[in-house]
Amino acid sequence: MATQTLPAKRTGKAGSTIFLKTLMAVSGLIFVGYVLLHMYGNLKVFSGEEAFNTYAHHLRTFGEPMLPYGGLLWIFRVVLLLALIAHVYSASQLWKRANQARPQKYAVKKTVAASFSSKWMRWGGVALLLFVIWHLLHFTIGKINVGEGGQAAAITQNPYQLVVHSFGAWWMVLIYILAMVALGMHLHHGIWSACQTLGFTGTPQARKIAKTAATAIALIVAVGFALPPLFILFGVID
């Protein structure tokens, strides 16, 4: 009787590398969903102070009375923190393995095949991590008013006023725009890589869809996040 040969399982370092890539892809896609929702929330600033502050308050009351005040928000925070740890860990381990596999630098670097966004992924990811830390200190943990004028307490306790005063400072807008450019590039390459890792690019049509989706999401997120600070800086939103 003929015997069926099962596919060989990938073990050892190769299997671990596949796991790390999958972990990075899944955790990255969690952040893609988050930044899309966060971008949508930020655009509420165009609807005025009342609408924006109502949205900010609703984030903390959503799910009541099944959940305590801010309960769902804390669930999101825990999920995002775990995703961040998984993403940074897997990326650092893959980076370390890539360096170990090629201990000596090439005499001639092959830069044609590698896209600029691909090269940016490592250090751009580090830059984004630093920006996220500052962003949390600025708008969530510390609520720092970097703008001028107004009563400090009244501004920091009012989400809309904190956003408007913060982006009234040109240097703050510049930092934010640079971070959004970095985020767009990171998303563009990251979404494409995640689709490859998860097996969504098996056909030419699937690869085309994945590339289009990566480009579209990167542009939508980067532009969507950049609009409020620019409109505030130029006085359209006040």
Side-chain angles (χ1 to χ4, degrees), residues 16 19-31 78-94 129:
S16 178
F19 170 77
L20 288 172
K21 288 184 176 181
T22 303
L23 183 64
M24 185 163 66
V26 173
S27 59
L29 290 178
I30 290 174
F31 276 105
V78 171
V79 171
L80 288 172
L81 178 60
L82 292 176
L84 177 63
I85 293 172
H87 201 69
V88 172
Y89 171 76
S90 55
S92 62
Q93 290 300 308
L94 290 169
L129 180 59

Side-chain angles (χ1 to χ4, degrees), residues 223-234:
V223 173
F225 272 120
L227 286 177
L230 287 173
F231 274 61
I232 291 170
L233 180 64
F234 292 111

Side-chain angles (χ1 to χ4, degrees), residues 150-166:
Q151 296 294 324
I155 292 171
T156 56
Q157 298 306 313
N158 184 316
Y160 179 87
Q161 291 298 330
L162 181 58
V163 170
V164 171
H165 276 77
S166 296

Side-chain angles (χ1 to χ4, degrees), residues 121-189:
M121 287 298 285
R122 292 174 181 175
W123 292 112
V126 173
L128 283 173
L129 180 59
L130 294 175
F131 172 76
V132 167
I133 294 172
W134 158 247
H135 191 63
L136 289 173
L137 290 172
H138 182 197
F139 285 114
T140 304
I141 299 172
K143 294 185 177 180
I144 304 169
N145 177 27
V146 299
E148 298 179 356
Q151 296 294 324
I155 292 171
T156 56
Q157 298 306 313
N158 184 316
Y160 179 87
Q161 291 298 330
L162 181 58
V163 170
V164 171
H165 276 77
S166 296
F167 292 126
W170 68 267
W171 58 270
M172 188 65 202
V173 175
L174 179 61
I175 292 173
Y176 198 82
I177 295 301
L178 290 175
M180 292 309 102
V181 171
L183 177 61
M185 294 169 62
H186 200 82
L187 287 173
H188 179 263
H189 184 76

Side-chain angles (χ1 to χ4, degrees), residues 34 37 62 71-82:
Y34 168 73
L37 289 174
F62 197 87
L72 186 63
L73 194 59
W74 274 106
I75 292 173
F76 270 108
R77 287 169 176 169
V78 171
V79 171
L80 288 172
L81 178 60
L82 292 176

Side-chain angles (χ1 to χ4, degrees), residues 42-60:
N42 279 12
L43 293 176
K44 287 284 186 179
V45 75
F46 286 99
S47 299
E49 183 171 356
E50 184 178 355
F52 186 80
N53 286 347
T54 299
Y55 158 76
H57 178 69
H58 187 61
L59 289 177
R60 289 157 178 79

